Amino acid sequence: MIQYAAILLIFIGLYGLLTNRNIIKIIISLNIIEIGLNIFIISIGFVFDGIAPIMTSVNNSSALIYVDPVPQALVLTAIVIGVGTTALGLALAKNIHSKYKTLEIDEVEES
Amino acid sequence: MMNPIFLIAFPLLAAFLSILSKKLAPVLLLLIALLNTVMAIFIPMGIVGIGGFSFPYGINLYVDTYAQIGLLLVNGLFTVIAILNIKKYKAYSSVLLVALTGLNGLLLTGDLFNLFVFLEISGIAAYLITSSNKKPLSTFHYLVMGSVGSSLYLFGLIILYSMFGTLNFMDMIHQIQVASIDYTDLILPFFMMFVGLGVEAKLLPFNSWVKGVLKHSNTLSGPMVAGVYAAAISLVLGRLIHNLFLFEGKLYLVVVVLLVFGIVLGEAMAFASDDVKEILLYSSISQACITALLFVHGVIIWAVYLIIANGISKTLMFLVTNRAEEQTGNAKMDSLQGLFSNNKVIGIAFTIAALSVIGMPLFAGFVIKLNYLTVLAHLDQLVVIAIILLSSIVEGIYFIRLLIKLWYPKDTDIEPIKFHLSYKIILGLMAAVLLVFGTYSAPLNQLDNSIDQVSEEIEVIFHG
């Protein structure tokens, strides 16, 4: 069920990306897409009633139900990359603002 | 012992070290680029596990002739561009080292999620390289398109992971074969991954960033994006199309129609333009679509040769145009008219590259075009052949028109544009390669579609 919420978030982000003409809003839309995608990835590894995939003195049987740890590792990487891209996007936004004195794409002419 | 991981690790280490000393950074860049090119020659073949995990667990690298050709091309062109730009763009040394890390990673990795990571690393480096154009909005546009593209790739990949429980490239292919799953179930993830890579590979209609980025490009960003990046991404896309996607049914139709439109529109836009850079960038869009089309039809070896010829030609042409533009202020045909009348060597090199792209006899492009058209004819792809031939005629017209303008000066005296001796030597050598393989094509016939060993490797691993 949570997958639908994640896909909804991705579509909200895409909608924002297509309708907004403000650079900061575009970066936020990009982030919403990424968050939706991350939730989607996490939901793939979810197992109902599953426990953390760590063997302890209490949980020491391989017969127990564990959640899939791989998507969690993937999301961690994807978050880091997302932060990098967002930081670069914001740096470019600052660059655009100092060069053209606006953050509205329609007011910038760069033919 | 030579390990393929060095090709990724050394540039990454050098990128960190280069931040510490700005003076040493350009030296490190040149050293690492040269070292990588040499290492690519001696790279050992096969699967290389990382972190002590045995196949298919953990991340592994995979080297076959296909990957080696890609590494040689990418590292070689990268070195050429780095040498010619090292004086002017010293500040970009660290970024270029990161770019080299990402590109080598793309060509070597045998893990699909790792591919996404390298796609992002090389992407972020590319955004920074294009920021040297001083057109931040174009770069921002590229960043948005690139990020959405890689998100789509990741989305498709995760759907595949949830279906087959693996991220390893070869294991994934094997699982798909074993599950004998209906192809319609795979259309969504495959198409998403194709679109995601298509953004970087400049395929229509995901390439709206190309015009902004390449039109304002300089001697660093132009050849880098149109030459090196285009070659690396096309090779990666080709590997996935040929081994994993294996388009069929409706998806095949959609992809072929998209690519054919890309070829036709690319050539039409180039024909309509009077700006030398626009002509080159639209022509490279159309060439990227032709390459992808060849991979879709399983014409591996000639697609790879086409990527090599295109990589060399486009790097050469963008270097000449962007260098001339630095002195004239714009790249309009009228501003550059008569450019070669004072620069014969550069002019001859540019002419050879242009004629090779059109596919004139005596140049590498001709041999390649003749061979892939022959293979397509054997596959009964007559419509595709007709479209490629038609596009070649259009291409011929606008390139010949361009060459005539660039060779014959206007009546009025024009200020001569100067090219450094290093330009003349390197561009001359690149043109010589196109000429040699155009006249002596026997070495090209030594290799065939078996340069891509993925399916044979899967057979050995899983069936003994």
Side-chain angles (χ1 to χ4, degrees):
Chain A
M1 195 59 202
I2 194 163
Q3 272 106 338
Y4 293 110
I7 291 170
L8 185 70
L9 263 182
I10 293 173
F11 275 105
I12 290 173
L14 272 179
Y15 175 77
L17 209 58
L18 294 172
T19 52
N20 279 306
R21 306 298 291 164
N22 181 296
I23 286 169
I24 300 294
K25 287 180 185 169
I26 289 176
I27 294 176
I28 292 172
S29 308
L30 212 54
N31 272 285
I32 295 175
I33 295 180
E34 273 164 17
I35 290 168
L37 188 56
N38 289 342
I39 294 175
F40 183 80
I41 300 174
I42 280 288
S43 69
I44 295 293
F46 175 74
V47 179
F48 193 74
D49 270 349
I51 57 167
I54 304 166
M55 284 228 177
T56 60
S57 53
V58 185
N59 302 324
N60 55 4
S61 160
S62 58
L64 288 167
I65 302 168
Y66 295 104
V67 295
D68 185 358
V70 175
Q72 299 179 11
L74 301 186
V75 159
L76 209 59
T77 318
I79 289 172
V80 173
I81 292 172
V83 169
T85 317
T86 308
L88 189 58
L90 287 170
L92 284 172
K94 186 186 165 290
N95 222 334
I96 291 168
H97 189 260
S98 59
K99 190 170 180 182
Y100 303 107
K101 306 288 172 224
T102 179
L103 284 171
E104 298 294 327
I105 288 180
D106 293 336
E107 292 170 17
V108 178
E109 273 186 31
E110 200 173 82
S111 62
Chain B
M1 174 64 193
M2 234 306 276
N3 192 319
I5 191 78
F6 293 155
L7 278 136
I8 302 167
F10 285 169
L12 192 60
L13 179 68
F16 282 114
L17 292 177
S18 67
I19 298 169
L20 300 175
S21 162
K22 281 192 177 158
K23 272 190 183 167
L24 266 180
V27 183
L28 264 177
L29 170 65
L30 285 187
L31 272 178
I32 293 291
L34 280 170
L35 179 71
N36 265 14
T37 314
V38 175
M39 282 199 295
I41 300 172
F42 301 106
I43 195 167
M45 302 280 163
I47 297 176
V48 182
I50 295 169
F53 293 98
S54 56
F55 187 89
Y57 302 106
I59 291 170
N60 58 49
L61 305 181
Y62 180 60
V63 189
D64 56 1
T65 316
Y66 185 93
Q68 193 185 21
I69 292 174
L71 288 170
L72 280 170
L73 176 70
V74 165
N75 287 285
L77 287 180
F78 185 94
T79 312
V80 167
I81 298 167
I83 290 172
L84 292 178
N85 286 292
I86 199 71
K87 262 193 178 167
K88 196 170 178 205
Y89 296 101
K90 274 183 195 156
Y92 287 87
S93 302
S94 306
V95 176
L96 287 172
L97 282 164
V98 176
L100 193 59
T101 309
L103 293 171
N104 283 335
L106 276 177
L107 292 167
L108 281 170
T109 188
D111 183 280
L112 290 168
F113 184 77
N114 203 224
L115 188 74
F116 161 77
V117 175
F118 283 121
L119 199 64
E120 284 284 19
I121 292 176
S122 55
I124 288 175
Y127 312 144
L128 284 166
I129 291 170
T130 55
S131 71
S132 65
N133 296 347
K134 309 279 181 224
K135 296 283 177 188
L137 190 63
S138 305
T139 306
F140 182 74
H141 192 188
Y142 182 19
L143 179 137
V144 173
M145 294 292 287
S147 302
V148 174
S150 32
S151 293
L152 279 178
Y153 172 84
L154 185 59
F155 202 166
L157 175 60
I158 291 303
I159 296 174
L160 281 185
Y161 173 76
S162 69
M163 289 165 87
F164 302 103
T166 180
L167 290 166
N168 187 290
F169 182 47
M170 290 185 195
D171 196 26
M172 178 84 78
I173 297 167
H174 177 245
Q175 300 279 355
I176 291 173
Q177 285 167 356
V178 171
S180 60
I181 198 160
D182 192 19
Y183 194 82
T184 47
D185 295 343
L186 297 166
I187 286 180
L188 181 68
F190 282 176
F191 192 61
M192 278 181 164
M193 290 168 83
F194 175 73
V195 170
L197 288 167
V199 172
E200 288 285 348
K202 299 189 284 200
L203 302 183
L204 205 83
F206 328 112
N207 54 10
S208 59
W209 58 271
V210 181
K211 191 184 168 198
V213 165
L214 285 182
K215 201 186 165 190
H216 306 293
S217 61
N218 49 47
T219 48
L220 176 70
S221 60
M224 207 47 111
V225 173
V228 180
Y229 270 80
I233 302 283
S234 295
L235 284 166
V236 172
L237 186 66
R239 174 94 96 183
L240 289 188
I241 289 176
H242 176 56
N243 292 300
L244 182 66
F245 299 160
L246 298 168
F247 295 125
E248 55 182 75
K250 285 205 174 85
L251 187 56
Y252 166 81
L253 192 67
V254 170
V255 168
V256 169
V257 168
L258 276 179
L259 293 174
V260 164
F261 263 106
I263 298 172
V264 174
L265 285 180
E267 299 292 11
M269 298 286 272
F271 183 77
S273 178
D274 65 343
D275 186 295
V276 182
K277 271 195 208 171
E278 278 188 12
I279 291 177
L280 294 182
L281 75 93
Y282 288 127
S283 154
S284 65
I285 288 176
S286 142
Q287 295 290 331
C289 291
I290 293 181
T291 320
L293 201 57
L294 293 181
F295 279 120
V296 170
H297 290 103
V299 192
I300 310 302
I301 185 68
W302 295 106
V304 171
Y305 285 144
L306 183 62
I307 292 174
I308 298 173
N310 261 328
I312 296 174
S313 319
K314 285 284 145 56
T315 304
L316 194 160
M317 290 198 274
F318 266 102
L319 276 170
V320 172
T321 314
N322 293 2
R323 177 82 183 128
E325 191 205 15
E326 277 176 7
Q327 293 167 53
T328 57
N330 70 67
K332 290 267 179 222
M333 267 204 258
D334 290 334
S335 311
L336 297 180
Q337 192 162 0
L339 167 68
F340 299 148
S341 58
N342 298 313
N343 297 292
K344 300 271 188 313
V345 179
I346 296 287
I348 290 169
F350 189 95
T351 309
I352 289 175
L355 294 180
S356 170
V357 173
I358 306 170
M360 282 284 177
L362 286 184
F363 305 104
F366 172 73
V367 182
I368 296 166
K369 195 170 269 184
L370 185 68
N371 276 290
Y372 72 64
L373 287 178
T374 314
V375 179
L376 285 175
H378 285 303
L379 295 170
D380 279 339
Q381 296 294 336
L382 296 180
V383 180
V384 175
I385 295 175
I387 285 162
I388 292 178
L389 284 177
L390 193 70
S391 74
S392 299
I393 295 172
V394 179
E395 203 170 35
I397 295 170
Y398 67 71
F399 266 125
I400 301 282
R401 189 182 62 187
L402 172 68
L403 287 175
I404 291 173
K405 274 255 181 187
L406 293 180
W407 272 105
Y408 293 102
K410 277 181 280 193
D411 296 336
T412 49
D413 279 341
I414 48 160
E415 206 177 310
I417 293 167
K418 288 191 180 62
F419 286 89
H420 197 264
L421 183 66
S422 57
Y423 264 81
K424 290 180 184 167
I425 295 172
I426 290 177
L427 299 188
L429 282 175
M430 288 164 81
V433 172
L434 294 175
L435 196 60
V436 167
F437 285 111
T439 45
Y440 177 60
S441 59
L444 300 184
N445 296 321
Q446 285 176 1
L447 295 173
D448 56 16
N449 282 356
S450 65
I451 54 166
D452 183 83
Q453 287 283 324
V454 170
S455 48
E456 287 82 356
E457 196 77 42
I458 292 172
E459 197 65 31
V460 172
I461 293 170
F462 295 101
H463 307 290

